[in-house]
Amino acid sequence: MATDYPEIDIAPLIDHALLNPTATPEQLENCCQEAERFKFATVCIHPVYVKTAAELLYGKVPKVCTVIGFPTGATTSAAKLYEAQEAVENGATELDVVIHLGGLKTGRTEEMYREIAQISEETGKTIKVILETALLTDAEKQIAAEICMDAGAQFLKTSTGWFGGATVSDVRLLKEVTKGSIGIKASGGIRTIEQAFDLVVAGATRLGTSRGPDLLRQLVEREGDNK
């Protein structure tokens, strides 16, 4: 029998991701259709598809989320700001911004603060800062989390999924640092409904995954097994 979990409505927590670099317009349309069908929180897509996604989802439940400085975070602050502003003009309401990891690791924390604060202030949209936790020490994760909170971020996001995925231990650490003051998005490598439940129980308030429909299918099967 499957492990018992608190009653959790998973679908509204999911950012339905389509971030494969070979993604096509046809795949985008399918992604948006799935997001609306299952009432996911957002579609999370590359900036090039934001305008089309905003048209496809106009007046519907899912919002449009895009990634900024993805996947390395190693573009300039000016480039990230322009990318963010253009995405908002095209219809994005949530921005997942990758931090400059090299800057964090070499102590250039003021630059990191200014970058996130400026994007937050200039766009006025929901900012989820991608920390790429698999590449950071616990001390670096805490420093980054504190800077992002001070800079006005609404979420901390664990990963791009390119260099490692979300872990329960990282979510717990971020929850401890944030004390519930902002959201936590667990992203990368979420393939089973049990993983999703574990991450939410640990403190995740949003889940980034390309497997949202499959997770819900697993949930239905799991509930059937428990009858």
Side-chain angles (χ1 to χ4, degrees), residues 52-68:
T52 302
E55 293 169 354
L56 290 169
L57 292 172
Y58 180 77
K60 297 180 180 178
V61 170
K63 297 178 180 179
V64 178
C65 170
T66 194
V67 287
I68 304 299

Side-chain angles (χ1 to χ4, degrees), residues 71-209:
T72 67
T75 50
T76 66
S77 294
K80 288 181 187 176
L81 178 61
Y82 179 84
E83 189 176 29
Q85 290 172 324
E86 183 181 46
V88 169
E89 289 173 3
N90 287 336
T93 60
E94 299 191 4
L95 305 170
D96 288 14
V97 182
V98 188
I99 63 170
H100 179 208
L101 296 166
L104 173 64
K105 285 183 172 290
T106 53
R108 305 205 310 271
T109 54
E110 289 186 9
E111 292 177 18
M112 179 179 161
Y113 172 87
R114 286 196 300 270
E115 180 174 279
I116 300 303
Q118 187 173 27
I119 293 172
S120 179
E121 291 167 7
E122 294 290 336
T123 65
K125 299 302 181 181
T126 296
I127 307 299
K128 305 195 213 68
V129 183
I130 306 176
L131 304 183
E132 206 66 271
T133 51
L135 302 181
L136 302 178
T137 66
D138 283 354
E140 289 167 342
K141 294 167 198 173
Q142 181 167 347
I143 291 168
E146 291 171 348
I147 292 169
C148 293
M149 286 191 290
D150 289 345
Q154 285 78 39
F155 283 82
L156 298 176
K157 177 176 173 181
T158 60
S159 324
T160 61
W162 285 51
F163 307 102
T167 66
V168 166
S169 60
D170 279 337
V171 171
R172 285 176 178 158
L173 185 153
L174 295 178
K175 183 180 180 181
E176 182 179 344
V177 174
T178 61
K179 296 178 171 57
S181 60
I182 64 173
I184 298 171
K185 177 175 173 179
S187 184
I190 304 173
R191 296 180 174 86
T192 70
I193 192 63
E194 287 77 19
Q195 280 179 292
F197 278 137
D198 286 341
L199 291 164
V200 173
V201 170
T205 57
R206 196 74 69 87
L207 301 171
T209 178

